[in-house]
Amino acid sequence: MGRLQKLPCGCQERCKGSLTPIPRREYDRHAEFCNRVPISFSDFVAGRSQAAAVDSATRPSSSSNSIAQKRPHDGNAAASAGASAKQRRIELQEHSDSSDSVASAQQTREDLPRPLTQDDASCDVPFPRSLTFPPAPDPSTMDTQPAAVPDAPGRETAAQNSRPATPVPDPGSIDDYEQEEDEDEDEDEGAGDQSATEDRTAGGRPSLLHRDAREPMAEDSRSQIEDIAIAQDFISALCTASLDDDALPDDILDHLRHPPVGPPAFDDPILRLSIKVYLALTNASQDSYNRVREAICEELQTELLSFHQVKSQITELSGVVPIIHHMCVNTCIAFTGPFADLDSCPMCQEPRYDQHKLHTSRGHVKSPRQVFHTMPLGPQLQARRRHPEMAEKMQHRDRHVQEILAAGRIDVFDDLYCGTDFLDAVERGDITSNDSVLLFSIDGAQLYQSKQSDCWMYMWVLLDLAPDTRYKKPHILPGGIIPGPHKPKNLDSFLFPGLHHLAALQREGLQVWDAAKSLVVRDNPFLAFATADTPGMTLLKGTVGHQGKLGCRFYCELIGRRKQGGSQYYPACLKPDDYDLPGCSHDDVILRNFDESSEAIEQRYLKNLQLVCASRTQAEYRKNRLETGICKPSIFSGISSSHRLRIPAMFPGDLMHLASLNLTDLLLGLWRGVIDCDADDSKASWDWVVLRRDVWRDHGKAVASARPYLPGSFDRPPRNPAEKISSGYKAWEFLTYIFGYCPAMLYGILPDLYWRNFCKLVMGVRLLHQHKISLQELQHAHTLLIEFCEEFELYYYQRLPTRLHFCRQSVHQMRHAAPESERTGLLPLTTQWPIERLIGDLGGEIRQPSNPFANLSQRGLLRAQVNALKSMIPDLEPESSTLPRGSVDLGNDYVLLRAMDNIARAVSAAEQQAIQGYLQGQGDLEPITKVVRWARLCLPNGQVARSAWKESLKPLSQIRMARNVKFLLNDELHFGEVQYYFRLQVHNELKDLAMIMVL
């Protein structure tokens, strides 16, 4: 008989806060004190190791085939993930019957965590099926020896054949913490070592993760590695997600599993009128609705539903109800996952509940101080297919993909479906015709400039819809709103409810009534992309960010270089002169072709992730983080690999922030000479600094004076940058100013060498921003951008260590822009413009400045409900006529728009000569002296071309000229000014013409 089992305790009352191995009976007496003391994951692991060391002398050897069994697993995934690390106690039970040991291990193996096998089809975090385990670490450099990997249940033969010759540690277990003690007592056991280790792995050290998670465990560093452990808890819960764990009403859960057939009943005229009035007054106050209701009742003797009744009906019809969770009042964390059972924030120590209500009710009333809302995805997806019209629009993606596959090649990239990664997923069978394909987008914003009011918001974009439809306001799916006033410190805890719901839909399958097919289909939503700006992307991916040694957003292998004594790295390809810093002194790097596949990048990423998660000390963790660029596993690893694109390939570039803000900030900083200059450098040698003093002021005036010549279809015109660049200059203004105006306005001002280099960037960025881009154009854009990046280092950086900070990630990312566009399909379709617009729209609807975050959450919920309702009942918002009154459809998407002459007007001599020349070419010699003029023409792309006839009547300050066009004449490209549009009868056929003055 061995000594009694001992467990670690760190209570303040008995153990004075120090982890001490004590007998189980004594441990139970300490339990009430332990519950009051938070404990870190690393301390928990250290305590377990101490307990193992005390108990090692009496632990049975391998010859007795002792079995260590885990405590029965709680079926509630969310609850199990929510349990803190200190609450996970593993009980070791001794069995005297050695003959049943092996059989017991085999029987319990199915309940245990296991490594990845090639036959697995469920969530594989983070090891892919094709990745082999690295060799076992050198024992001389490790504190413990690797443990044997147990076989996958039911696949013993395959596991035996595929098991590496050298045993490797189970990435999901914590066996290696106690293995040093195990080796001391088992070193004389000879050939029985492996079987004993397998038995202990199978029964004695269950993983903290679900067996399908396959995420390397974090080890032994209190501050940093505890974060990894927390991330893995979230990932574990996602891998076992169930709809039953979501805080949704029973009727909503029933609808998700047994969807209603057909659109909702909407026959009651009172209900219809009430909802239409409510929607018409969406941005008005409750009092406005009540006044309209009273007026209708008085005048028409019809009583509408009350304000609260109509809101309740909208909720019931749409099926969209919020999932509400508690959060820290300082936005540190959300009380979800491993934080679910805490009563205070582990970061700022602020209490979770209103203490006044808690004390006055003697602990019975637990009112949260702050909450956040998650809009579940399932009901919103179901709503998109319940009406035949919308269901037919949802078939766009499947039709387009089938056309691409039938063609066998891609000559023009016009959507995300053209991306190589997406098509690979289709060919693997991960995306079917019944599945919804999603894009996740998140961003933060400051609601008020005058006070701290950070607010984060995320949404879903339905990629099944056509590009000209999916980004419009009625088709955006709000996902969640994270109130401020500060930036979230643990973003995973806020994303967890929405991703848990998505993972549950993927695991169980969402049952959807497809009105286009008139049947119930199984929808396994596929997450194609997750987008954010650069700071947000580091939180989603769990990487070091743009200042790291491996700081590339696309996780390429370019190693950054730092300055002497500095900690920030810069992606300079050229080695500086007289430069010799350890880890940064590699030779010049030529980055032109990016042939590494998404699968190869994923394998490299996962191998590095395993290294980071295996760190044993804080110093080792910092070293591994520096060398790999990885801080922790991404929460998106919890989404099954068969229902998402690869990591990190699923995190595309953001052309909006890259081109509109990051590059413009760098270039203007250089040209204005306001970028930092080291003490060993001199701005006098910067011959590119030209926008200073009077030149800068004159340049700003030229930008402002160009406003009348920018067509209205270009949206907001740039303001004077010399006056407004620090006063809320918008991203769209920067984009138009730098890539529209500057090539012309800097000609003759910027030295020719730098101007030509800049024009290559402009041409490449313009090509990438097209709605359609051919393969040849994509290759041309890549050539231009590569040349820009290489010349940028030669012209500006000049191999000087003092100018390393010129080499920013924004320049480096342009090397990836064209290859990424080919991989994703079309890079402009993954930008942050839609989420920025959603934040602006909902922020503008706030009507309660005293409590803006709660009001914003309600507006987001209402947007989700109304959009779902309009999808099911399109009559609520019928599409307005595409042709304005008095317009004439010319065919081929051209439309003549008024104003027009009431009668035919005489033309000038020059115009008559042009008309007669045209008629002679048509074989008609009859002279024309009068025509009926039209002022505008709507083009197929939606833009409106105007004419000098009406625009010249307004002062220059009040117009945005849209009459200058380029056109083909005799197969030659010309530029001209449209005078007016008109129609002529030629040989009994009506011809549509434009009178143009060729420039």
Side-chain angles (χ1 to χ4, degrees):
M1 292 290 294
R3 288 188 297 175
L4 292 176
Q5 173 198 6
K6 294 190 177 182
L7 297 172
C9 178
C11 66
Q12 294 288 351
E13 183 71 19
R14 301 288 180 86
C15 301
K16 307 305 180 185
S18 176
L19 285 176
T20 306
I22 58 177
R24 171 60 187 271
R25 181 178 301 176
E26 190 69 14
Y27 182 92
D28 292 337
R29 296 173 184 166
H30 292 209
E32 58 177 319
F33 307 109
C34 293
N35 290 338
R36 302 177 187 175
V37 183
I39 183 173
S40 69
F41 175 78
S42 54
D43 286 345
F44 164 72
V45 172
R48 285 176 49 88
S49 298
Q50 294 176 17
V54 172
D55 198 35
S56 62
T58 58
R59 180 174 296 171
S61 65
S62 62
S63 60
S64 64
N65 291 323
S66 173
I67 303 301
Q69 296 181 342
K70 69 174 183 178
R71 194 171 52 183
H73 176 68
D74 185 357
N76 190 318
S80 64
S84 59
K86 69 183 180 66
Q87 294 173 317
R88 296 190 181 93
R89 301 199 305 271
I90 310 300
E91 301 180 7
L92 303 180
Q93 300 180 355
E94 299 183 5
H95 293 256
S96 58
D97 188 358
S98 60
S99 62
D100 294 335
S101 298
V102 177
S104 300
Q106 192 70 21
Q107 291 171 359
T108 59
R109 189 167 295 168
E110 291 186 356
D111 298 328
L112 297 173
R114 53 185 172 81
L116 176 68
T117 65
Q118 294 185 1
D119 296 329
D120 288 353
S122 57
C123 178
D124 53 351
V125 183
F127 300 107
R129 296 178 176 83
S130 59
L131 180 62
T132 58
F133 289 107
D138 184 357
S140 63
T141 61
M142 302 292 290
D143 295 333
T144 62
Q145 291 290 338
V149 181
D151 299 344
R155 301 183 179 92
E156 289 79 12
T157 302
Q160 291 283 353
N161 294 335
S162 61
R163 181 182 296 130
T166 304
V168 295
D170 178 0
S173 71
I174 54 175
D175 283 354
D176 45 348
Y177 285 105
E178 297 187 350
Q179 220 162 48
E180 183 175 358
E181 290 79 9
D182 293 349
E183 290 171 351
D184 293 339
E185 63 189 15
D186 294 338
E187 59 186 0
D188 59 342
E189 296 178 4
D193 287 350
Q194 182 173 351
S195 62
T197 306
E198 264 190 277
D199 287 343
R200 288 196 299 271
T201 305
R205 293 294 182 268
S207 169
L208 298 183
L209 299 180
H210 185 267
R211 66 185 182 188
D212 290 335
R214 307 185 196 99
E215 186 72 66
M217 290 302 298
E219 299 177 7
D220 206 17
S221 176
R222 177 182 176 83
S223 59
Q224 297 295 339
I225 306 217
E226 184 178 7
D227 292 341
I228 297 180
I230 292 172
Q232 291 173 335
D233 284 340
F234 284 116
I235 293 170
S236 174
L238 293 182
C239 289
T240 58
S242 170
L243 290 175
D244 294 326
D245 299 330
D246 289 333
L248 289 172
D250 292 340
D251 59 330
I252 301 298
L253 288 175
D254 184 66
H255 283 180
L256 293 176
R257 289 165 173 157
H258 306 93
V261 175
F266 203 58
D267 300 329
D268 185 350
I270 299 299
L271 175 62
R272 293 177 64 90
L273 181 58
S274 300
I275 290 181
K276 287 185 176 181
V277 171
Y278 178 86
L279 296 181
L281 300 173
T282 298
N283 294 329
S285 64
Q286 178 177 345
D287 183 62
S288 298
Y289 176 85
N290 291 334
R291 291 186 177 185
V292 172
R293 177 171 176 260
E294 292 173 359
I296 292 177
C297 183
E298 293 176 0
E299 301 297 331
L300 303 178
Q301 288 73 48
T302 300
E303 185 172 359
L304 301 182
L305 301 179
S306 68
F307 185 82
H308 295 289
Q309 285 175 333
V310 72
K311 285 187 64 176
S312 177
Q313 285 295 319
I314 290 176
T315 300
E316 181 178 348
L317 290 170
S318 67
V320 180
V321 297
I323 301 176
I324 302 176
H325 286 87
H326 304 172
M327 58 176 283
C328 170
V329 70
N330 289 325
T331 329
C332 300
I333 65 161
F335 292 100
T336 61
F339 305 127
D341 297 331
L342 301 181
D343 290 333
S344 62
C345 174
M347 296 184 181
C348 68
Q349 311 306 320
E350 283 289 334
R352 174 176 181 173
Y353 302 109
D354 187 315
Q355 296 300 293
H356 176 72
K357 293 181 179 179
L358 189 66
H359 293 156
T360 56
S361 66
R362 298 182 179 180
H364 290 88
V365 177
K366 294 185 176 181
S367 176
R369 300 176 66 190
Q370 181 68 289
V371 298
F372 75 100
H373 290 66
T374 300
M375 277 60 81
L377 187 60
Q380 299 187 69
L381 291 179
Q382 286 182 324
R384 264 55 188 184
R385 301 195 193 185
R386 288 183 63 180
H387 191 277
E389 179 182 334
M390 189 64 188
E392 185 63 29
K393 292 181 180 179
M394 290 284 289
Q395 300 299 315
H396 169 81
R397 184 260 308 169
D398 186 55
R399 289 193 299 266
H400 196 3
V401 169
Q402 295 306 318
E403 292 173 358
I404 294 174
L405 295 178
R409 57 179 298 173
I410 300 175
D411 295 322
V412 176
F413 293 82
D414 59 358
D415 205 342
L416 298 175
Y417 318 141
C418 302
T420 54
D421 287 358
F422 188 92
L423 293 176
D424 287 345
V426 173
E427 292 181 344
R428 290 195 305 268
D430 293 344
I431 304 175
T432 69
S433 60
N434 294 329
D435 295 338
S436 300
V437 181
L438 303 168
L439 180 147
F440 172 94
S441 183
I442 187 171
D443 202 0
Q446 187 88 357
L447 296 183
Y448 301 103
Q449 293 183 352
S450 58
K451 63 180 180 180
Q452 187 73 25
S453 56
D454 276 354
C455 180
W456 284 58
M457 194 179 305
Y458 68 90
M459 70 177 191
W460 307 95
V461 178
L462 275 172
L463 300 185
D464 301 274
L465 299 172
D468 58 353
T469 302
R470 70 174 71 123
Y471 301 104
K472 292 184 178 179
K473 182 176 176 179
H475 303 294
I476 291 295
L477 311 183
I481 295 177
I482 306 171
H486 306 294
K487 175 183 176 181
K489 294 183 179 178
N490 188 302
L491 186 60
D492 289 354
S493 62
F494 293 95
L495 300 183
F496 176 74
L499 293 182
H500 183 276
H501 181 71
L502 171 63
L505 296 177
Q506 293 173 337
R507 286 171 58 85
E508 299 184 21
L510 176 64
Q511 302 300 315
V512 178
W513 167 256
D514 192 326
K517 301 177 181 178
S518 297
L519 53 83
V520 175
V521 299
R522 177 188 172 100
D523 181 357
N524 296 96
F526 186 90
L527 180 58
F529 301 105
T531 67
D533 59 10
T534 299
M537 186 57 72
T538 61
L539 301 178
L540 296 186
K541 293 171 59 178
T543 51
V544 295
H546 62 283
Q547 298 181 351
K549 188 174 182 179
L550 289 175
C552 177
R553 182 185 179 112
F554 306 108
Y555 204 64
C556 77
E557 297 182 274
L558 178 65
I559 299 175
R561 308 179 194 268
R562 61 182 177 87
K563 297 182 179 181
Q564 181 71 39
S567 60
Q568 181 174 347
Y569 289 82
Y570 304 96
C573 289
L574 301 181
K575 181 182 177 181
D577 294 331
D578 301 324
Y579 181 85
D580 187 17
L581 286 182
C584 305
S585 300
H586 48 278
D587 293 333
D588 293 351
V589 178
I590 299 177
L591 284 181
R592 294 185 178 181
N593 299 318
F594 298 87
D595 298 328
E596 191 176 22
S597 66
S598 297
E599 181 179 5
I601 296 175
E602 181 186 45
Q603 292 183 8
R604 175 164 53 83
Y605 164 81
L606 293 173
K607 182 179 179 180
N608 291 339
L609 176 60
Q610 183 184 13
L611 177 65
V612 172
C613 292
S615 303
R616 300 196 173 275
T617 65
Q618 187 174 9
E620 184 182 0
Y621 169 78
R622 288 197 298 266
K623 175 185 176 182
N624 291 336
R625 181 183 60 186
L626 176 67
E627 297 300 327
T628 64
I630 299 175
C631 298
K632 66 180 183 67
S634 168
I635 190 173
F636 288 90
S637 300
I639 304 297
S640 171
S641 62
S642 61
H643 297 303
R644 60 164 170 79
L645 293 182
R646 302 180 187 276
I647 292 177
M650 68 174 294
F651 303 110
D654 174 23
L655 202 56
M656 170 197 162
H657 287 90
L658 175 60
S660 303
L661 299 176
N662 305 137
L663 280 171
T664 55
D665 177 69
L666 173 62
L667 294 175
L668 287 176
L670 289 169
W671 298 337
R672 295 177 60 205
V674 296
I675 196 170
D676 292 341
C677 179
D678 283 10
D680 296 335
D681 197 4
S682 173
K683 290 187 178 180
S685 63
W686 294 5
D687 57 339
W688 58 79
V689 179
V690 294
L691 298 179
R692 303 183 67 180
R693 302 184 180 89
D694 291 342
V695 176
W696 175 236
R697 287 189 288 270
D698 292 342
H699 176 75
K701 292 178 181 178
V703 171
S705 63
R707 180 186 184 278
Y709 306 97
L710 184 71
S713 57
F714 282 80
D715 199 36
R716 185 174 188 142
R719 293 167 289 171
N720 185 337
E723 297 176 353
K724 303 295 184 180
I725 199 168
S726 300
S727 304
Y729 217 70
K730 303 299 182 182
W732 189 259
E733 291 180 88
F734 274 119
L735 189 66
T736 305
Y737 163 47
I738 294 294
F739 298 97
Y741 288 2
C742 280
M745 291 186 174
L746 293 181
Y747 180 72
I749 297 177
L750 195 64
D752 187 71
L753 186 72
Y754 304 103
W755 181 81
R756 291 182 179 276
N757 173 252
F758 169 61
C759 287
K760 292 179 180 180
L761 171 66
V762 171
M763 185 62 180
V765 170
R766 285 184 176 181
L767 286 173
L768 292 179
H769 272 88
Q770 295 179 121
H771 291 179
K772 296 181 180 180
I773 182 170
S774 68
L775 185 59
Q776 292 73 21
E777 289 176 324
L778 197 60
Q779 293 170 346
H780 182 48
H782 182 57
T783 300
L784 291 171
L785 294 175
I786 289 294
E787 291 178 359
F788 161 76
C789 295
E790 293 178 347
E791 293 173 359
F792 181 90
E793 292 195 19
L794 289 173
Y795 299 162
Y796 293 94
Y797 155 51
Q798 300 175 359
R799 296 183 182 269
L800 296 177
T802 56
R803 297 180 184 176
L804 272 173
H805 60 288
F806 293 178
C807 303
R808 296 185 181 179
Q809 286 291 346
S810 55
V811 175
H812 170 71
Q813 286 183 30
M814 297 314 298
R815 301 176 185 266
H816 291 274
E820 281 297 304
S821 193
E822 180 180 5
R823 187 186 62 78
T824 60
L826 200 61
L827 207 56
L829 298 183
T830 62
T831 62
Q832 290 292 91
W833 292 112
I835 185 66
E836 295 282 0
R837 179 63 181 270
L838 179 65
I839 292 174
D841 282 347
L842 295 182
E845 295 178 5
I846 294 177
R847 296 293 182 269
Q848 292 179 341
S850 61
N851 193 1
F853 301 119
N855 191 201
L856 183 64
S857 297
Q858 292 301 318
R859 301 304 298 185
L861 173 61
L862 179 62
R863 175 72 61 85
Q865 293 172 339
V866 170
N867 285 354
L869 194 61
K870 290 179 179 179
S871 296
M872 294 184 288
I873 311 172
D875 293 343
L876 287 176
E877 189 174 322
E879 294 186 4
S880 57
S881 175
T882 56
L883 300 180
R885 183 178 62 88
S887 61
V888 176
D889 188 355
L890 305 180
N892 297 323
D893 295 327
Y894 286 92
V895 180
L896 277 176
L897 303 176
R898 303 176 80 174
M900 62 171 292
D901 285 324
N902 295 327
I903 59 175
R905 304 285 182 177
V907 297
S908 66
E911 293 171 349
Q912 184 177 4
Q913 182 180 357
I915 293 174
Q916 291 303 127
Y918 169 77
L919 292 176
Q920 289 176 5
Q922 299 293 319
D924 191 336
L925 302 180
E926 183 178 352
I928 298 294
T929 59
K930 294 182 178 180
V931 297
V932 175
R933 297 172 295 182
W934 289 76
R936 299 179 297 156
L937 176 69
C938 183
L939 307 178
N941 60 7
Q943 297 179 358
V944 176
R946 301 176 183 270
S947 63
W949 169 39
K950 287 297 183 181
E951 284 192 341
S952 59
L953 300 178
K954 298 180 180 179
L956 192 62
S957 60
Q958 297 181 11
I959 63 172
R960 299 278 300 278
M961 289 186 189
R963 61 180 184 259
N964 298 312
V965 297
K966 63 180 180 179
F967 59 95
L968 286 174
L969 180 62
N970 298 326
D971 295 329
E972 292 184 4
L973 185 64
H974 295 270
F975 294 89
E977 181 185 67
V978 176
Q979 302 301 301
Y980 53 84
Y981 307 94
F982 62 103
R983 312 184 79 186
L984 287 181
Q985 195 80 25
V986 180
H987 298 308
N988 298 322
E989 182 181 356
L990 200 58
K991 297 289 186 178
D992 306 304
L993 304 171
M995 181 64 67
I996 301 178
M997 180 184 294
V998 180
L999 302 177

